[in-house]
Amino acid sequence: MKKTVDLALAREFGLTSEEYDRVLKIMGRTPSLTELGVFSVMWSEHCSYKSSRKWLRTLPTTAPWVIHGPGENAGVVDIGEGYAAIFKMESHNHPSFIEPYQGAATGVGGILRDVFTMGARPVANLNALRFGSPDTPRTRQIIDGVVRGIGGYGNCVGVPTVGGEINFHPAYDGNPLVNAMTVGIARKDRIFLSAAAGVGNPVVYVGSRTGRDGIHGATMSSAEFDENALAKRPTVQVGDPFIEKLLIEACLELMATDAIVAIQDMGAAGLTSSSVEMAGKGGVGIELDLDAVPQREPGMTAYEMMLSESQERMLIVLRPDRTEIARKIFEKWELDFAVIGHLTDTGHIVVKHKGQVEADIPLDPLAEEAPIYDRPAATPQAPAPLEAVHAPLSLDAMLLKLVGSPDLASRAWVWNQYDSTVGGQTVRRPGAADAAIVKIEDTTLGLALTTDCTPRYCQADPKSGGAQAVAEAWRNITATGARPLAVTDNLNFGNPEKPEIMGQFVAAIEGMGEACRALDFPVVSGNVSLYNETRQPDGSTMAILPTPAIGALGVFEDVSKAVGLGMASESALVLIGETKGELGQSIWLREILGREEGPPPQVDLVAEKRNGDFVRNEILNGTVTACHDIADGGILVAAAEMVMASGIGCELESPDSGIRPEAFWFGEDQARYLVCVKDADGFCQKAEKAGVPARLIGRSGGNELILPNGVTISAARLTVAHEAFFPALMAS
Amino acid sequence: MKSAIVVFPGTNRERDMAIALKRVTGKAPTMLWHRDTDLPDVDLVVLPGGFSYGDYLRCGAMAAHSPIMAAIRAFAQKGGHILGVCNGFQILTETGMLPGALLRNANLRFLSQDCHLRVERNDTPFTHKWAKDAVFRTPLAHGDGNYTADSQTLEKLEGEGLVAFRYANAKGDVQADDAETNPNGSINSIAGILSENTRICGMMPHPEDLVDPLMGGEDGLPLFEGLVEAFVR
Amino acid sequence: MKVRVTVMLKEGVLDPQGKAISHALQTLGFPGVTEVHVGKVIELDVEGSDQAAVQKQAEDMARDLLANLVIEDFKVEVL
Amino acid sequence: MKVRVTVMLKEGVLDPQGKAISHALQTLGFPGVTEVHVGKVIELDVEGSDQAAVQKQAEDMARDLLANLVIEDFKVEVL
Ligand SMILES: Nc1ncnc2c1ncn2[C@@H]1O[C@H](COP(=O)(O)OP(=O)(O)O)[C@@H](O)[C@H]1O
Ligand SMILES: [Mg+2]
């Protein structure tokens, strides 16, 4: 590597010439290589949020139940009985393209650390995945590696993987998305933060040794991909879930004492970002002695150690009189433990190595003068209305095709590789309810967890798509009977330096914000992943679909009241919500007619809240015994999913709605649910009083789905069509 | 019944097992650390599931050499009862306390799903709450559950009736070459085996994860109820 | 000294990994591959300069830990 | 012809297995073991009698399937 520090090197490190000027001004001299490395990672998009910060600030982040919103390692909400849920979602998109297994595995490891670093025992993992066209061999390789990686890590650490989502679209061919979410539980009064305090206090390094893994990972994830992406090999990080498991147990054991002043995982930009952020937040200085850092390889330089992204490491500020207690705990768990520095009153980060000062940077300007950009944003064009479309096939043929299509087919092949029961608290496993449900041990409390986003809606109309993603997450939680509490997000977009991409980003946040406010559903943590573009051989770039993935959490006071989506026996099937038959951007339009056109379904947040609040009440009072939200594929797909989940059939009635049958059955109008109740009349009257549209559309029984045209499809036949896709794809 | 659960670095189903044992005994089992060298006065020692030492090298290989295993061997020699589930089963085969070995699943993937087990004999403390040939549902979650043994060992296991559980369909039919009912490819569909004196039982699936209707059923409960009845104290 | 311990499944023990690789190689256009066996190789740096003693020590390690003699055979090479 | 492909992690890439084994060997009473690296060995029967051609074919197999070149190196030996 070139060692002279100058503008050319700064640019190689991802800094612009204005940013480099700013560095020179702050330092008052030419920075050392290590110093330049620190600036470049701290000011990378990944660490500084320089393109997104202005817009993230517009999201609602507070509610009476929010204990810590964005800004900490993860969001914290009060779930009652003295407990807090701590959760966050994070992307590992670029690493997962380069090395799918390790990329996905270390993604899971990273998000776990964000959660247990705050004092929580992780109780659930979810993952939101977007892959390219299923027809390409590379996509299958990526799926295989990503699924194995998520399982390989999550299964080993013993945290159940309980949910997630998967979409396919050619726009992800060169840039898959791997967004991992972890949820943990802590006592509300035992939450650990990262702000360092106490001049002289020891700074302790625990976990795995430092190697040359992933140097400049943070800058890499802030750049678009070119043909050489696969050659960027030195940056591949390998995860060690076994060490992570020990780290979880050791940290939780230490957290039960009063030894910790502050704690922070070493994530992107490793030792640099953890030490800078801890000291910066606490308003103190920090001095590190790199000779004391546990090292895996000989001859590492200060630059390499400061920028290494070796996994499974944490930085802790301890009370000085508790150092030995802490050391004993980490020795018991056979993990490296080293005092590598102390806090100072200088307001600087000083890094020493072999008797030399390798870096000496004032912390305030490093944080405060970090660039923030108000990038030009082009307002997205409204999609043209969808012209009249007609069904080319019979209802039953279309249904069978849809339930077996890539975006709707069963994900059992995937979740059967994830341990979803470890911990013994999984009330609803994947596929059993609209959100996964996990009990809180020793209480009656439960959590409902989901991830949602419909990228094709966001592509057509980013604002309404952003709102829809939040609304769907809220609806999925509501459909189990849980009370939606808060959101974490993972905003995956293309290159923000392009006004049209920035425009998507701004509009999606605007939509999300509106929905979060209307639904009282604050954003408490999140992650932004930009530059998700692939340079094509001809020099042009292809951006992913705008994908603001929403992870959400709801709570049950009494988790035994939760309902699943499997059709209940001998019940009336009632449709909640208004149906206009919106086919724009629907799965039906894409899979049956091969068109991606029109506006996405309208999002009416008032109706969403009213309908959802009604449904939740009726679940909790025992009237509703099964519930499924209506999303991709519309009413008919939702009904078929209910039949497949329980094996109990249903006879559907012919709608006298004045809407064409394909639009009625496959339209993706929002704010709707299918529910099973005993007394349809009484229930519909109650709904009417609450201003909630409700109508009887079928009766359960037998083991066949009977369509209004009289055609019957057995649950078994539906299931065969539903389950064929993944195994066939992955065997090819 | 007094019971203890051994925790190795990387064990992760000790809490599930503790919940199941507490459910039937009303008291929390003793947790033992792999470096302990003495066992407390107990009727049953459980080696739970997980990834001891990350499942590196071979599942259970490193845990088999833990200090506590000497005490567990001695406990077995004195006729103590031992249950090894999943990684615990793998550890028991690695120590030679149970015969055979567990290979990678036949489809080379981690499997996490429900399966059905047929109870092959009901005259042991582990199985006596079931009728012979009873079928029960239980989750499994492992990457290396493909039981194998050389022909001599297999003959002995089968001949002496030391197979405790076999993978089956919901009706109890066993079909070893069918990936639906024998998901990991185990020889003769073997899911759990017994030591000669029937006091050590190793099995791959997780009955401890199905002991509560809220979690989907109580199908695994008879194993634990049976143990409690066998050791009334 | 550098020692290499190679651990292979015993003959007769099912090797699903080998089978899967052989199958994959066929479909990748390598029809001439008939048998595939997959094993582990463990490379160790062992202190000492007496080749025979190191060989013996490595064999002990293999028997104790590195191989499971119920299903695997091993071979030790001092390099 | 018999071919052996040995696949090891690239230098500098974390080897969690090697680390755990080295640790286990220490506690088992083999204190002289300093470094441990774990890899895979794949033994193939390949049709053909031209040593160079078989070598070349095995290298292609290694690149296409047997090794993950992002993190692993391989070595081919025709036996
Ligand atoms: N990557 C994944 N990992 C685990 N479970 C998944 C994954 N993707 C989807 N699932 C599960 O599959 C089921 C259906 O997913 P999805 O179609 O996204 O549901 P919905 O339409 O209600 O949002 C859910 O239970 C979900 O949690
Ligand atoms: Mg969903």
Side-chain angles (χ1 to χ4, degrees), chain A residues 144 148 155-156 158 240 242 245 332-334 413 416-419 421-425 427 429 439 441, chain B residues 9-13 15-16 19 33-35 51 53-54 56 108-112 114 141 209 214-215:
Chain A
D144 183 66
R148 283 184 195 274
N155 299 342
C156 182
D240 187 346
F242 170 56
K245 168 70 173 159
K332 169 183 161 192
W333 290 99
E334 301 175 19
W413 181 89
N416 280 348
Q417 298 180 56
Y418 300 155
D419 189 340
T421 51
V422 59
Q425 304 300 316
V427 176
R429 301 187 212 169
K439 186 173 177 291
E441 205 177 325
Chain B
T11 293
N12 66 28
R13 261 187 167 81
R15 298 153 73 87
D16 314 39
I19 291 168
W33 183 231
H34 71 119
R35 269 199 228 124
F51 286 65
Y53 294 94
Y56 296 143
L108 302 175
R109 291 185 185 278
F110 191 93
L111 286 171
S112 166
D114 277 350
D209 277 328
L214 198 52
M215 311 303 156

Side-chain angles (χ1 to χ4, degrees), chain A residues 540-616:
Chain A
S540 68
T541 55
M542 179 171 68
I544 58 159
L545 303 185
T547 311
I550 301 296
L553 175 146
V555 69
F556 290 95
E557 271 172 41
D558 177 359
V559 69
S560 70
K561 296 199 166 144
V563 300
L565 63 79
M567 191 73 71
S569 57
E570 290 171 35
S571 302
L573 188 68
V574 173
L575 167 66
I576 304 276
E578 195 188 352
T579 301
K580 291 186 289 195
E582 298 197 65
L583 286 173
Q585 299 299 337
S586 65
I587 286 270
W588 178 85
L589 190 65
R590 191 177 81 189
E591 295 297 323
I592 305 294
L593 296 184
R595 291 161 59 178
E596 295 181 56
E597 289 167 32
Q602 218 182 337
V603 177
D604 176 345
L605 295 164
V606 174
E608 189 73 61
K609 179 128 178 43
R610 183 188 58 219
N611 298 357
D613 287 345
F614 175 75
V615 167
R616 187 180 322 103

Side-chain angles (χ1 to χ4, degrees), chain A residues 358-432:
Chain A
E358 293 285 347
D360 183 348
I361 305 174
L363 286 163
D364 278 353
L366 177 60
E368 281 155 20
E369 290 179 38
I372 290 198
Y373 296 123
D374 185 1
R375 299 197 188 274
T379 309
Q381 261 185 344
L386 181 69
E387 285 171 16
V389 287
H390 297 285
L393 298 169
S394 65
L395 212 51
D396 48 305
M398 292 190 290
L399 173 62
L400 284 169
K401 184 153 188 215
L402 286 184
V403 295
S405 66
D407 273 7
L408 291 180
S410 166
R411 272 70 178 123
W413 181 89
V414 174
W415 75 57
N416 280 348
Q417 298 180 56
Y418 300 155
D419 189 340
S420 55
T421 51
V422 59
Q425 304 300 316
T426 306
V427 176
R428 303 276 173 181
R429 301 187 212 169

Side-chain angles (χ1 to χ4, degrees), chain D:
Chain D
M1 294 178 106
K2 271 212 183 304
V3 182
R4 181 188 299 139
V5 180
T6 311
V7 179
M8 302 291 292
L9 285 171
K10 279 192 166 63
E11 212 174 70
V13 173
L14 176 69
D15 180 2
Q17 288 216 68
K19 212 170 63 179
I21 292 172
S22 136
H23 190 83
L25 287 171
Q26 310 274 347
T27 52
L28 269 179
F30 297 101
V33 178
T34 49
E35 280 275 323
V36 180
H37 293 284
V38 181
K40 271 189 305 233
V41 44
I42 301 123
E43 294 188 353
L44 309 140
D45 277 342
V46 184
E47 280 169 14
S49 51
D50 176 350
Q51 163 129 10
V54 167
Q55 168 93 21
K56 160 91 181 50
Q57 213 189 356
E59 282 172 8
D60 288 343
M61 293 182 211
R63 252 187 300 271
D64 284 4
L65 181 76
L66 305 177
N68 174 358
L69 299 185
V70 179
I71 49 174
E72 294 169 332
D73 287 328
F74 68 88
K75 195 178 76 190
V76 170
E77 297 157 280
V78 180
L79 306 178

